[in-house]
Amino acid sequence: MTALLPRRGLAQILALIVILAVDRVVSPQFFDLRLQDGRLFGSLIDVLNRGTPVALLSLGMVLVIATRGIDLSVGAVMAICGAIAASLADSHGLPVVLAAALGAGLLCGLWNGFLVAVLGMQPIVATLILMVAGRGIAQLITEGRIVTFSSPDLVWLGNGSVLGLPVPVVIALGMLILTGAVVRGSALGLLIEATGGNARASELAGVGTRAMILSVYVWCGVCAALAGVIAAADIMGADANNAGLWLELDAILAVVIGGTSLFGGRFSLVLAVLGALIIQTMNTGILLSGYPPEFNLLVKAVVVLAVLLLQSPKFSGLAGIAARLRRTKA
Amino acid sequence: MENSLDPALPLLEVRGISKSFGAVRALQEVDFTLRAGEIHALLGENGAGKSTLIKVVTGVFPRDAGIVRLGGEEVAPRSAKATLQAGIATVYQEVNLLPNLSVAQNLFLDRQPMRFGIVREGEMRRRAKALLADFGLDIDVAAPLGNYSVAIQHVTAIARAVDLSARVLILDEPTASLDRHEVEILFRIMRQLAKRGIGIVFVSHFLDQVYEISDRITVLRNGRLVGERETASLPRLELIRMMLGRELAETTSARAATREHQAREVCASFENYGKAGYVAPFHLELRHGEVVGLAGLLGSGRTETARLVFGAERADRGQAKVEGAPVRLHSPRDGVRHGFGYCPEERKTDGIVAELSVRENIVLALQAKRGLHRPLSRREQDEIARRYVKMLDIRPPDPERPVGLLSGGNQQKVLLARWLATSPRLLVLDEPTRGIDVGAHAEIIRLIRDLCDDGLSLLVISSELDEIVTYSDRVVVLRDRAHIEELAGEAIDVGNILAAIAADGAAVALEAHT
Amino acid sequence: MKGLPPVLITAIVLVAGFVLCALQFPNIASTRVVGNLLTDNAFLGIVATGMTFVIISGGIDLSVGSVIGFTTVFVALAIERWGVPPLVAFVAILALSAAFGAAMGAVIHVLDLPPFIVTLAGMFLARGASFLLSTESVPITAPVYSTVSDFALRMPGGGRLTAIAIIMLVIVIGGALLLHLTRFGANVYALGGSRATASLMGVAVGKMTIKIYMLSSLLAGIAGIVFSFYTSAGYSLSAVGVELDSIAAVVIGGTLLTGGQGSVIGTFLGVLIQGMIQTYINFDGTLSSWWTKIATGVLLFAFIALQQGLVALARRPVAKSAGAAS
Amino acid sequence: GQLTIGFSQIGSESGWRAAETSVSKQEAAKRQVNLKIADAQQKQENQIKAIRSFIAQNVDAIFLAPVVSTGWDSVLKEAKEAKIPVVLLDRDIDPSGKELYLTAVTSDSVHEGAVAGDWLAKTVGEKACNIVELQGTVGASVAANRKKGFDTAVAKHPNLKVVRSQTGDFTRAKGKEVMESFIKAEGGGKNICAVYAHNDDMMVGAIQAMKEAGLKPGKEILTVSIDAVPDIFKAMAAGEANATVELTPNMAGPALDAIAAFKDKGTVPPKWIQTESKLYTAADDPQKIYDSKKGLGY
Ligand SMILES: Nc1ncnc2c1ncn2[C@@H]1O[C@H](COP(=O)(O)OP(=O)(O)OP(=O)(O)O)[C@@H](O)[C@H]1O
Ligand SMILES: Nc1ncnc2c1ncn2[C@@H]1O[C@H](COP(=O)(O)OP(=O)(O)OP(=O)(O)O)[C@@H](O)[C@H]1O
Ligand SMILES: [Mg+2]
Ligand SMILES: [Mg+2]
C-alpha cells in the first residue's frame, strides 16, 4: 500500500477529512450506515457510488495528463458507450454489450491518440473535436431520446451489490487495481512519466513516446467507456444528451487535486481517485446541506481553492515559516 | 565611481553565506571578494556550490545566512530584475534565454528601445547586430534564437550580459560550448571590460583558460571556501589539490600511448550516408575498441553526424551496417535496439528528465531497450543506480534525488551512466566532458579507455582539441556540414586538425547559415 | 507554400473555405453574411483576443465565459433595477472584472497553482455569483442600448457593420498592436517561452502574470458588455462554454497551447473559421441536432488538419544538397 | 408555391425536445412545408446567428423556440424589416418585443406548476405533507416558472410544505442523485410525503432512488412532475408514479396553420395560442398513452 500511496498524499487525505467533517456538520446523519436488502445504505456509500464515474475517468485522465496531454472528450465518450450499451442491452448478452461499448471507447481513444501522437495536434483541440462530435454520435445512436432497457445483467452493473458494496464501486476499485498493476507492474509507469517529463529526451533514450501517448489515450477511452456503461446502467437508460456532460472538467480537477501536474511527469493513480472522492464528498455535502442550488457553484469554487491552497508548495512553505517563527518566539 | 576604479577596494563582498536545500548543505559560511577591474575565477568540483553561490548573490535563491555588499553597501536583491538594476549581470550555467523570441528581443528583453510606448524594432535590430558583431557573429537577429546552435545561443547570452553589466559580470561556465575562436573573442572582451573597472567572476573547468585569463582564484569544495589565491602564484598541481582535496591520480594531457592498430572488427559502418540539407554524404567506419573523434568548428555538422549515426535523424541516402549486416536506423529506438547509445550535447532539453530521480534517469534507456514487458525490478534498478553513482562519483550519492536538482556536471555523469547501463556496442558522445571538473574529467577519459579495451566503439565530439587528441585513434574533421579529412595514428595532433579545418581559408564557419 | 507564415496559411484556409461554402450556397457570398459573421462573433473575437495573451504567456483562462455571464447580469441589474447610468455601470463592471482577473493572476503567481484550476474555480465563482444576482433573464431597455444596437455602417450589398462588430475590430487591432509592438507584448512571449528564464532575464513575472489575467478578464468584461448589447439583456446562463470556443479559436489561429508562440490576427481568423462553420451548417439547415455536432467536429478537424498540413509543408527544410557536397 | 420556414430550435437537451423536433418535422411534412431546422446547441448566440442566416436566405417565415426570454429585440427587428413573420414556439419572450412576432404557440409554465400543485393539494387533503422538489437547471426560465406556479398553489395550503429543493438539472442521473441525498437527509425518506419534479426525466431518476432505498413511490410517496414523456406513463402503469402535467410536443402544428392562414388570407392570429396543460394520472390508462407516445421521438 505504501508503494501505491506516496508520502505526498497527506494534503489530499487531510482535505478529505476536513470535507467529511464539514459534511457531518451540515448533515448529522452523514456517517450513518445500515444494511438494507443485502447492501449498505448511507451517505458514505452514496459518495463512493456517485463518485465512481469521475473516479473511472480520472484513472484514464491521470495517465493522459502524465504525458502532458489532456482529454476533453471523455464525457462524450461516456455518452457514446452508454448509448451503445443501452441499445444492445435488451437484444444481446452482457458480454456482447460490454465488448461493444468498451470496443467503442477503445476506438475513440485510438482516434484521439492518433490525432495527438501521429498527426501531432495539440491535445486540447484534438480531443475537443471528439468532445463536440462525440456527443453528436451518441445522440445519433439514441436519436436524441433516452433509450431505456431492462436487461437485468446490465442493470445489475449499475445497481447491484457485491458484499454490501455497490457494483460500480467494486468495478472502480477493480479498475484501480488493474491499472495500477499494469502501469506499475510493467515499465509503463516509468516510461509514461519520462515521456511526460521530457518527451524529447525520452525519445532519444529509445522510449517509444508515440506508443506511450497512443496507449494512454486508448486507456482513457476504455475507462470513459466503462464509466459510460455504469452511468447508463445506473439510470437504466442512455441519456446521450446529458451523460457525462462537463464531467471532463471534474476528471481533470480530480487529477490535479490528486497532485499530478498538468505539465506532465509524475502521477499517482490512487491520489487521482482520491481527488475524485474529494469532489464527490463536496457535491454530496452540498446536496445534503439544503442550501438553495444558486449557491452550489460558489461553494464548489471556494472548496476547490481551499483544497489547492492546502497543497500549494508555497502555502506549506508559508506554514512552515510560521511554525518556525512560533517556535523561536516560544 | 572613483572608488570602484581603485583595484584595492572590494567591489563585491560576500561574507558568511550559507545555503541548504533540505538536507543538502550547498554552501557553508562562504566568503568571496571581487575587486573592481579584476577577473576572478571561481573554481571547484562538480557540485562544489559555484552555481549556487552565484544564484544566492543574484537573489535567485534566498540565502540562509550571510551578507552581500556591493560597492560597500549591503544589498539583498530579491529578484533578478533588482540585481540587474544594481549593475550585476549574469550568464547562468544553463543557457537562460528564450528560444521562442528573436535574437534581438533576447538581447534587449525588458529594455528595448522605445518610442511612444512602441518598441523600435529596427533600432533594436541594428543595436543587436552591432552588439553581436563584437563577438564576431553575423546572424539574422530577427530569427528566433531557437533556430541557432547552442554555441550561438551561448554567445548571445554572453553578449546580453556584457551589455548589461554596469559593475559586475558573472559568467558561469561560459566557455563550455565555445571553441577556441570564440573563447579568444570572449577573453578579449573580458579584458576590455576589466580595464573599464568592471569586476568579472569566471567559472570554468578548463584550467588552461583559468590561467590564461584570471587574476585571482577562489576555490570551493563541498560548499566550503578552501582559499583565495593570486593566479600567478598558484601552481597548477596545487590548484588541483585545493579543488579535489587530493592529488590527481594521473595526468591526462599527454597523448595516450598509441594503441596497436591491429585490424579490429568493424562494429558499424556508414556508406555514402547522409541527408539532404543536413550533412553531406560521408563514409564512416567504427571499429570495436576504437575511439573516433569528430573535430570541426561550431556548426560544422558534428552534432548532425552524430544524430544520423544514432538514428535520431533519418538518413535519406546511403547504407548503415552493424557487424556487417545492413540495418535500418529510422529512430532512436532503432539505434538503441542495435546497441547504440547517444549522449546529446543539450543536456537540459535532450538529455535529462529533470523531475525523475537519478535512478530512473539511469535506467531509462536500459528499460526502453528491454521493452515494456520486462520491467527492471526495483532491486535491479537500485543495484544499477548504486553501481553507476559510485563508478562515476555522482554527488550527492543519492539515487532518489530528482536529477534536475543536481549540479550541471553531475547531470552529465547521470547521462553517461544511462548509456553505460545499456552495455552498448557503440556510444556516441556529443561534448561528453562539458561542464565536468578536472577530477571527473580524468575519470571519464580513463573510463573511455577502459570501455574501449572491452571492445566498445566510441564516436566522440569535443570542442577541446587537446582532449580529442588525447584519446582518439582516428579523427574525422568536418567543415560546412561535410566530412573533409580523416587523420589517424601519428598524424593526430592539434596542429594538423587546425590545419585541416582552416584549409581553403574557411576559418570563419560561425557565419550564419541562415 | 514555402516560407509562408502560419497566419497567412490560416487566412488561405479561411478564404478557401469561404469560397467552397459560397459555391454551394451562393447567398453566403454577400456582405450581409460577412457583416453577420463579424457581428455574431464580436464577443467571441474580443474574449479570444484576451485568451491569446493568456495562452501565449503559457497559461489558460477558463473563467471568461462566466465573466461574460456575470457582466451581462450585473449590467442589466445595475441599469434596470438599481438605476445606475449605463456608462457608470460599464466602468464599474470593467473595474470589477479587471480586479477579478488580477486576483486570479495573483493567486496563480503567489501560490504557484496551475492556471487551469485557478481559472476553473474562477469560472465556478463568476457563474455562481451571477446566479446569486439573478437567475432570471433581465431585459435592458435603456435608450443607449437601442441606439447602439441600431447603429450600423451600411456596406454595399446590404451588409451591416454594426457597432459591436466595430468594437471587436478595434479591440483585435489594438490587441495585435499591443502584442507585437510593445514591451508588454514581448514580455508575454517571454513568459510563454519559460517563466523561470524570463524571471532570470529581469522580467517582473509576477506583475506580468497579474496584468495578463487582468487583461483577459477585462476583455471578457468588454465582451460581456458587447454581449449585453447583442441581446439587450442580462442572463446568468449566457455564454456557457465560450471559454472552449475561444480556446479553439486561439489554437486554430496557430497559437501554441504550450505558450510562447501565436498571434492575435491568427486568433481573429480562428474566430472567423468557427463562425463560418456555423454559418455553413445554418445555411444547410437539414441537419438534426446530432448531425450538427458531428458536422461541427468534422469541419473543425478538416480545418485544423488542413492548416497543420500546410504549415508542416511550409516548414519543410529546403532540399538543397549540403555544404561541400556538390 | 411551397413555403420555406426556418426553425431555430434550442437543441436536443432532453427527450421532450427531441420529440418536439421530430413532431415539427412530421407536421411540416404533412403540410408540405419545407422546414429548415437549425439546432442552437442550447446557445442563444447560435439562435441569433441562425435567425440572421434565415433572413439572409429569405425564408417565408421563422419559427423560434427561444432558449431565454430576453435579447431578441434587435434580431427580430431585422426579421421584421425583411418582412418575415416570426412565430414563437414553446416559450414566450420578453413583453417588450410583443410587436416583433406574429404569434406565440406556447404553454404557460407557471400554470403547469400550478396544475401540479393543485393536484397534490387535492390528493393530500388535510394531512400534513412534506414535499421535496427537484428543480430544473438553475437559471432556466422554465424551472423558475414551474417553481413559481407550484409554490403559489401550495402556499394556499398550510399543511403542505416544501422542505427541500435542489437542482437536478432536468436529467435522470442528477434527479436520482439528488433524490438519494434527500432520502438520507429526511430520515431515510420517512419524512417525505411527496416529490415534485420540474420534469419527468428527473422524476424517473427519483423513482429509482426511492425504490433502491426500499421506499414505494406512488404509494408511500406521491409523485407529480411535468412534461408527460412516455417513460413516466410506464412508471404510472406500474403504480410507481402518480401524476404528470402534459407539455405537448406539437407546437409546430398550430404554428404552421397560423402561418398558412396568414400567408394565404392575411388572417392575423391571436398573439398567444396557448397549448393545453393537461393533467394525467393513473386513472387515464397510462399504458395506452405510453403506447401512443412511444413513437413520437421522445
Ligand atoms: N535547486 C536545488 N535544489 C536542491 N539542491 C540543489 C539545487 N541546486 C543545487 N543543488 C545542490 O547543491 C549542490 C551545489 O550545486 P551547484 O550547482 O552549486 O554546483 P556547481 O559547483 O555549480 O557544480 P557544477 O560544476 O557541476 O556546475 C549540489 O549538491 C546540488 O545537488
Ligand atoms: N546558423 C544556423 N541557423 C539555423 N540553425 C542552425 C544554425 N547553426 C546550427 N543550427 C542548428 O543547430 C543545431 C546544432 O548544430 P551545431 O551548429 O551546433 O552543429 P555542430 O557542428 O554539431 O556544432 P557543435 O557540435 O560544434 O556545437 C542543428 O540542429 C543545426 O541545424
Ligand atoms: Mg554549476
Ligand atoms: Mg554540436
Side-chain angles (χ1 to χ4, degrees):
Chain A
M1 198 58 200
T2 43
L4 276 174
L5 196 93
R7 271 157 297 167
R8 61 201 171 111
L10 226 72
Q12 285 82 359
I13 293 174
L14 204 69
L16 185 62
I17 291 174
V18 170
I19 297 178
L20 281 171
V22 173
D23 284 358
R24 174 66 178 70
V25 171
V26 299
S27 158
Q29 62 281 79
F30 190 80
F31 291 114
D32 293 357
L33 274 183
R34 65 188 160 85
L35 207 59
Q36 177 183 316
D37 308 334
R39 61 184 287 177
L40 286 165
F41 183 85
S43 294
L44 282 178
I45 296 299
D46 284 356
V47 168
L48 292 178
N49 200 12
R50 294 294 149 218
T52 293
V54 174
L56 282 173
L57 293 184
S58 66
L59 270 184
M61 188 71 82
V62 70
L63 297 182
V64 169
I65 288 181
T67 64
R68 234 172 218 251
I70 201 157
D71 189 349
L72 294 183
S73 71
V74 288
V77 174
M78 270 180 78
I80 295 178
C81 302
I84 291 176
S87 4
L88 298 179
D90 285 337
S91 50
H92 295 80
L94 191 60
V96 179
V97 170
L98 276 183
L102 298 189
L106 193 139
L107 278 181
C108 290
L110 212 54
W111 163 259
N112 284 332
F114 171 76
L115 294 191
V116 176
V118 181
L119 296 193
M121 281 190 192
Q122 300 190 49
I124 208 168
V125 259
T127 55
L128 182 71
I129 293 170
L130 190 59
M131 175 184 180
V132 175
R135 193 156 295 279
I137 295 171
Q139 289 175 336
L140 179 69
I141 297 169
T142 64
E143 297 187 302
R145 294 173 295 138
I146 298 182
V147 174
T148 53
F149 56 86
S150 51
S151 146
D153 289 346
L154 192 54
V155 170
W156 178 82
L157 270 190
N159 295 319
S161 61
V162 172
L163 299 173
L165 281 178
V167 173
V169 177
V170 177
I171 292 179
L173 215 60
M175 281 297 279
L176 172 61
I177 293 169
L178 177 71
T179 315
V182 168
V183 165
R184 298 297 182 193
S186 75
L188 205 60
L190 173 65
L191 300 189
I192 286 173
E193 283 177 344
T195 303
N198 187 344
R200 260 173 79 167
S202 306
E203 178 81 32
L204 281 177
V207 179
T209 52
R210 275 187 189 186
M212 288 303 125
I213 293 175
L214 203 66
S215 59
V216 294
Y217 281 94
V218 168
W219 189 242
C220 194
V222 172
C223 288
L226 204 52
V229 172
I230 287 176
D234 177 41
I235 58 168
M236 297 192 259
D239 184 352
N241 311 313
N242 298 300
L245 201 60
W246 301 118
L247 281 199
E248 52 279 344
L249 288 184
D250 276 2
I252 295 167
L253 194 59
V255 170
V256 173
I257 288 179
T260 300
S261 158
L262 286 169
F263 295 107
R266 286 251 185 260
F267 67 91
S268 159
L269 296 171
V270 174
L271 291 185
V273 171
L274 206 60
L277 284 186
I278 288 176
I279 294 174
Q280 188 56 42
T281 312
M282 164 182 79
N283 284 342
T284 303
I286 289 174
L287 294 182
L288 287 169
S289 69
Y291 292 134
E294 288 83 358
F295 285 95
N296 293 4
L297 281 176
L298 282 181
V299 174
K300 218 170 156 173
V302 172
V303 173
V304 166
L305 276 180
V307 171
L308 288 176
L309 198 71
L310 210 63
Q311 276 172 249
S312 159
K314 291 257 175 99
F315 181 75
S316 44
L318 290 181
I321 290 170
R324 214 177 314 152
L325 278 180
R326 238 174 289 127
R327 235 177 297 135
T328 48
K329 267 192 200 141
Chain B
M1 262 293 123
E2 301 98 273
N3 297 358
S4 62
L5 277 178
D6 179 351
L9 269 180
L11 172 61
L12 181 71
E13 221 184 332
V14 171
R15 290 286 164 265
I17 291 280
S18 295
K19 172 75 192 165
S20 302
F21 299 103
V24 176
R25 311 189 69 180
L27 294 175
Q28 295 178 50
E29 301 188 4
V30 172
D31 296 340
F32 177 76
T33 310
L34 177 70
R35 295 180 196 155
E38 79 167 344
I39 298 175
H40 194 136
L42 179 61
L43 304 182
E45 287 176 289
N46 294 130
K50 306 178 294 292
S51 302
T52 306
L53 178 61
I54 290 169
K55 287 184 178 168
V56 166
V57 168
T58 59
V60 174
F61 291 151
R63 55 190 184 237
D64 299 344
I67 52 168
V68 177
R69 287 200 202 97
L70 182 65
E73 277 172 47
E74 191 170 337
V75 289
R78 241 166 294 134
S79 69
K81 195 180 173 102
T83 313
L84 283 175
Q85 277 162 353
I88 303 177
T90 315
V91 177
Y92 296 95
Q93 185 171 8
E94 307 295 343
V95 177
N96 272 300
L97 290 182
L98 298 158
N100 60 320
L101 295 189
S102 73
V103 175
Q105 284 282 13
N106 266 295
L107 286 170
F108 289 99
L109 192 65
D110 216 37
R111 57 187 189 112
Q112 299 95 337
M114 305 284 283
R115 185 189 286 150
F116 311 128
I118 286 180
V119 174
R120 296 167 64 195
E121 190 74 32
E123 170 70 12
M124 184 172 77
R125 285 187 196 164
R126 241 189 326 281
R127 285 200 213 165
K129 261 202 132 50
L131 191 54
L132 291 180
D134 285 347
F135 288 84
L137 217 52
D138 178 26
I139 56 173
D140 176 10
V141 293
L145 182 76
N147 284 4
Y148 295 104
S149 65
V150 201
I152 290 179
Q153 295 186 19
H154 222 123
V155 172
T156 310
I158 294 169
R160 176 184 155 89
V162 164
D163 197 42
L164 273 167
S165 58
R167 303 171 79 177
V168 175
L169 174 63
I170 303 175
L171 302 170
D172 194 350
E173 298 196 30
T175 54
S177 48
L178 304 187
D179 69 11
R180 277 176 185 236
H181 181 61
E182 285 93 31
V183 171
E184 270 158 32
I185 294 175
L186 174 63
F187 283 2
R188 194 189 62 207
I189 289 171
M190 281 166 69
R191 286 194 192 101
Q192 280 169 9
L193 291 174
K195 220 171 268 161
R196 294 216 309 259
I198 289 174
I200 299 176
V201 180
F202 176 69
V203 178
S204 176
H205 292 294
F206 300 119
L207 298 190
D208 291 341
Q209 295 179 359
V210 169
Y211 276 100
E212 183 182 342
I213 189 81
S214 71
D215 302 315
R216 279 189 311 153
I217 295 174
T218 292
V219 178
L220 300 182
R221 189 168 69 232
N222 289 334
R224 289 179 186 277
L225 176 67
V226 176
E228 189 201 82
R229 303 288 169 84
E230 296 281 331
T231 310
S233 62
L234 180 63
R236 193 184 270 254
L237 285 179
E238 172 68 15
L239 171 61
I240 292 175
R241 195 170 326 115
M242 283 175 78
M243 286 167 65
L244 304 187
R246 58 181 159 89
E247 301 288 339
L248 196 55
E250 63 188 287
T251 159
T252 56
S253 50
R255 166 127 174 81
T258 340
R259 255 172 284 192
E260 62 280 32
H261 265 276
Q262 81 278 65
R264 298 221 200 192
E265 278 150 63
V266 175
C267 162
S269 69
F270 301 86
E271 286 150 30
N272 195 25
Y273 212 63
K275 178 174 175 164
Y278 199 64
V279 184
F282 58 85
H283 291 276
L284 188 62
E285 229 170 52
L286 300 158
R287 293 167 187 279
H288 285 288
E290 184 187 51
V291 182
V292 175
L294 288 181
L297 293 179
L298 293 177
S300 56
R302 295 169 300 172
T303 297
E304 285 80 353
T305 303
R307 289 175 61 89
L308 275 179
V309 163
F310 177 61
E313 201 75 39
R314 196 188 283 209
D316 61 5
R317 72 192 64 179
Q319 179 65 59
K321 286 187 183 153
V322 173
E323 312 288 358
V327 295
R328 211 182 51 142
L329 289 173
H330 284 180
S331 69
R333 270 172 81 68
D334 289 338
V336 172
R337 207 177 14 245
H338 292 114
F340 295 0
Y342 171 53
C343 277
E345 64 176 333
E346 290 181 57
R347 145 178 91 220
K348 194 159 88 175
T349 57
D350 296 353
I352 59 165
V353 184
E355 202 189 348
L356 297 190
S357 66
V358 169
R359 164 179 57 85
E360 286 163 312
N361 269 281
I362 291 180
V363 300
L364 186 60
L366 177 59
Q367 183 60 67
K369 188 177 181 181
R370 287 166 60 111
L372 275 183
H373 312 294
R374 294 173 49 221
L376 290 157
S377 73
R378 181 59 192 259
R379 194 144 39 80
E380 289 167 294
Q381 295 186 17
D382 286 336
E383 158 65 28
I384 293 170
R386 218 171 314 122
R387 184 160 79 238
Y388 285 101
V389 164
K390 185 142 173 278
M391 180 185 207
L392 298 175
D393 190 21
I394 293 169
R395 289 187 217 173
D398 171 13
E400 294 312 308
R401 201 173 168 75
V403 89
L405 300 185
L406 258 52
S407 77
N410 281 302
Q411 293 179 358
Q412 188 69 33
K413 293 188 202 167
V414 169
L415 286 186
L416 204 56
R418 171 187 294 171
W419 290 108
L420 293 182
T422 63
S423 346
R425 61 159 59 91
L426 165 65
L427 201 48
V428 183
L429 305 176
D430 197 347
E431 307 282 5
T433 54
R434 168 184 294 178
I436 287 199
D437 67 46
V438 269
H441 192 272
E443 290 291 308
I444 286 177
I445 289 180
R446 193 173 47 79
L447 194 75
I448 287 178
R449 285 190 187 141
D450 288 353
L451 290 169
C452 288
D453 291 342
D454 293 346
L456 177 77
S457 167
L458 273 171
L459 181 65
V460 184
I461 299 173
S462 174
S463 297
E464 280 307 284
L465 294 186
D466 291 331
E467 190 183 305
I468 285 213
V469 165
T470 310
Y471 50 64
S472 299
D473 297 308
R474 277 187 292 140
V475 173
V476 175
V477 181
L478 285 87
R479 192 175 66 227
D480 290 340
R481 304 184 173 234
H483 295 214
I484 50 168
E485 194 159 340
E486 190 171 312
L487 306 171
E490 295 304 321
I492 300 177
D493 72 40
V494 174
N496 284 348
I497 296 177
L498 283 176
I501 291 174
D504 327 338
V508 204
L510 251 183
E511 262 174 42
H513 296 268
T514 43
Chain C
M1 275 299 128
K2 247 151 235 137
L4 279 188
V7 170
L8 215 58
I9 291 174
T10 315
I12 292 172
V13 170
L14 174 68
V15 171
F18 190 80
V19 170
L20 280 180
C21 292
L23 285 182
Q24 195 177 348
F25 302 108
N27 274 348
I28 284 188
S30 66
T31 54
R32 168 162 226 143
V33 172
V34 174
N36 288 352
L37 206 57
L38 293 177
T39 305
D40 294 333
N41 294 294
F43 71 97
L44 186 59
I46 295 170
V47 274
T49 302
M51 188 70 82
T52 312
F53 282 82
V54 176
I55 292 184
I56 291 179
S57 80
I60 199 156
D61 187 354
L62 296 181
S63 72
V64 289
S66 299
V67 171
I68 294 179
F70 180 82
T71 303
T72 64
V73 178
F74 181 91
V75 167
L77 289 180
I79 296 175
E80 297 298 317
R81 301 265 166 86
W82 310 331
V84 179
L87 270 182
V88 178
F90 295 163
V91 172
I93 188 61
L94 291 184
L96 199 61
S97 47
F100 181 68
M104 288 193 299
V107 171
I108 290 168
H109 175 72
V110 175
L111 296 178
D112 201 13
L113 291 174
F116 192 98
I117 299 301
V118 173
T119 58
L120 183 66
M123 167 182 171
F124 294 155
L125 205 66
R127 189 70 68 188
S130 48
F131 286 153
L132 283 193
L133 285 185
S134 166
T135 50
E136 283 164 37
S137 71
V138 183
I140 306 176
T141 53
V144 204
Y145 269 74
S146 41
T147 320
V148 172
S149 45
D150 289 346
F151 175 84
L153 298 177
R154 293 273 162 189
M155 294 189 280
R160 291 149 41 93
L161 191 61
T162 57
I164 58 175
I166 295 170
I167 295 177
M168 188 258 288
L169 291 176
V170 167
I171 285 180
V172 166
I173 293 170
L177 296 181
L178 181 64
L179 183 62
H180 299 295
L181 296 186
T182 66
R183 191 173 281 176
F184 176 80
N187 286 350
V188 170
Y189 283 98
L191 246 62
S194 155
R195 287 175 73 84
T197 302
S199 163
L200 286 183
M201 291 175 76
V203 176
V205 173
K207 273 191 205 147
M208 277 302 296
T209 309
I210 292 175
K211 282 187 198 161
I212 290 168
Y213 285 90
M214 199 163 106
L215 177 69
S216 172
S217 284
L218 180 72
L219 288 180
I222 296 179
I225 293 175
V226 162
F227 199 91
S228 75
F229 278 122
Y230 185 53
T231 62
S232 298
Y235 183 38
S236 55
L237 282 179
S238 45
V240 169
V242 161
E243 54 283 343
L244 284 181
D245 291 343
S246 63
I247 292 169
V250 169
V251 174
I252 294 174
T255 296
L256 280 187
L257 216 64
T258 40
Q261 264 172 47
S263 70
V264 169
I265 300 302
T267 298
F268 177 63
L269 298 175
V271 169
L272 292 185
I273 286 179
Q274 282 194 313
M276 210 174 57
I277 291 176
Q278 271 214 334
T279 306
Y280 174 83
I281 288 171
N282 282 336
F283 265 79
D284 182 79
T286 58
L287 296 181
S288 60
S289 184
W290 32 98
W291 281 115
T292 304
K293 292 192 179 85
I294 296 172
T296 311
V298 169
L299 290 173
L300 203 59
F301 169 73
F303 270 109
I304 299 174
L306 185 63
Q307 184 216 26
Q308 284 212 334
L310 292 179
V311 170
L313 243 147
R315 288 244 177 86
R316 230 178 28 193
V318 197
K320 71 162 192 255
S321 67
S326 52
Chain D
Q2 197 195 24
L3 285 183
T4 298
I5 294 178
F7 177 15
S8 171
Q9 174 64 297
I10 294 180
S12 118
E13 74 281 9
S14 66
W16 183 87
R17 186 68 59 190
E20 187 194 28
T21 308
S22 69
V23 170
S24 302
K25 275 189 210 152
Q26 289 166 15
E27 295 289 325
K30 232 190 267 175
R31 296 169 177 79
Q32 279 156 10
V33 167
N34 175 18
L35 191 66
K36 288 190 146 203
I37 301 182
D39 183 287
Q41 318 280 333
Q42 284 84 37
K43 290 185 187 168
Q44 179 176 26
E45 57 271 28
N46 289 354
Q47 291 203 290
I48 296 177
K49 286 177 205 174
I51 296 173
R52 289 233 164 88
S53 80
F54 289 146
I55 299 172
Q57 295 171 68
N58 224 340
V59 295
D60 296 304
I62 292 173
F63 287 179
L64 166 64
V67 66
V68 44
S69 62
T70 52
W72 303 101
D73 292 11
S74 73
V75 67
L76 291 190
K77 245 178 248 164
E78 276 176 45
K80 203 178 173 86
E81 275 169 34
K83 303 206 166 39
I84 302 174
V86 174
V87 178
L88 303 183
L89 298 190
D90 161 42
R91 294 179 184 181
D92 205 348
I93 63 171
D94 191 68
S96 78
K98 280 272 180 274
E99 76 290 352
L100 294 177
Y101 59 88
L102 184 66
T103 180
V105 183
T106 72
S107 86
D108 179 346
S109 43
V110 179
H111 178 60
E112 290 164 357
V115 172
D118 289 340
W119 173 85
L120 193 61
K122 207 173 85 216
T123 313
V124 172
E126 290 307 310
K127 75 172 197 286
C129 179
N130 285 341
I131 304 162
V132 296
E133 179 184 30
L134 296 164
Q135 299 184 25
T137 309
V138 178
S141 60
V142 193
N145 289 341
R146 287 178 179 174
K147 182 169 174 54
K148 188 156 69 172
F150 184 81
D151 284 351
T152 325
V154 165
K156 287 178 271 178
H157 306 271
N159 57 323
L160 302 182
K161 200 167 134 227
V162 178
V163 288
R164 282 189 180 258
S165 181
Q166 179 54 265
T167 176
D169 282 338
F170 283 133
T171 70
R172 270 186 205 200
K174 282 284 282 179
K176 184 173 179 187
E177 178 178 355
V178 173
M179 192 64 204
E180 277 178 356
S181 38
F182 282 172
I183 293 170
K184 307 284 158 22
E186 296 296 330
K190 287 191 261 320
N191 307 339
I192 304 173
C193 128
V195 188
Y196 166 50
H198 290 185
N199 79 351
D200 289 337
D201 280 336
M202 288 190 287
M203 186 58 87
V204 171
I207 289 171
Q208 284 179 20
M210 289 184 265
K211 278 161 62 184
E212 281 168 28
L215 301 167
K216 295 203 174 57
K219 300 189 180 69
E220 292 170 8
I221 297 180
L222 295 173
T223 80
V224 56
S225 48
I226 301 174
D227 274 1
V229 305
D231 282 346
I232 200 75
F233 290 102
K234 206 156 90 182
M236 243 184 243
E240 291 166 350
N242 300 97
T244 183
V245 181
E246 185 180 44
L247 171 64
T248 174
N250 183 9
M251 305 270 178
L256 286 165
D257 293 339
I259 283 291
F262 181 71
K263 287 271 171 190
D264 291 349
K265 309 188 207 89
T267 329
V268 178
K271 212 71 224 179
W272 183 17
I273 305 173
Q274 188 183 1
T275 60
E276 196 186 355
S277 299
K278 191 162 177 248
L279 180 81
Y280 288 95
T281 61
D284 294 301
D285 193 357
Q287 188 60 45
K288 203 174 115 223
I289 303 174
Y290 173 73
D291 293 335
S292 72
K293 285 206 165 218
K294 218 170 42 177
L296 288 182
Y298 277 102

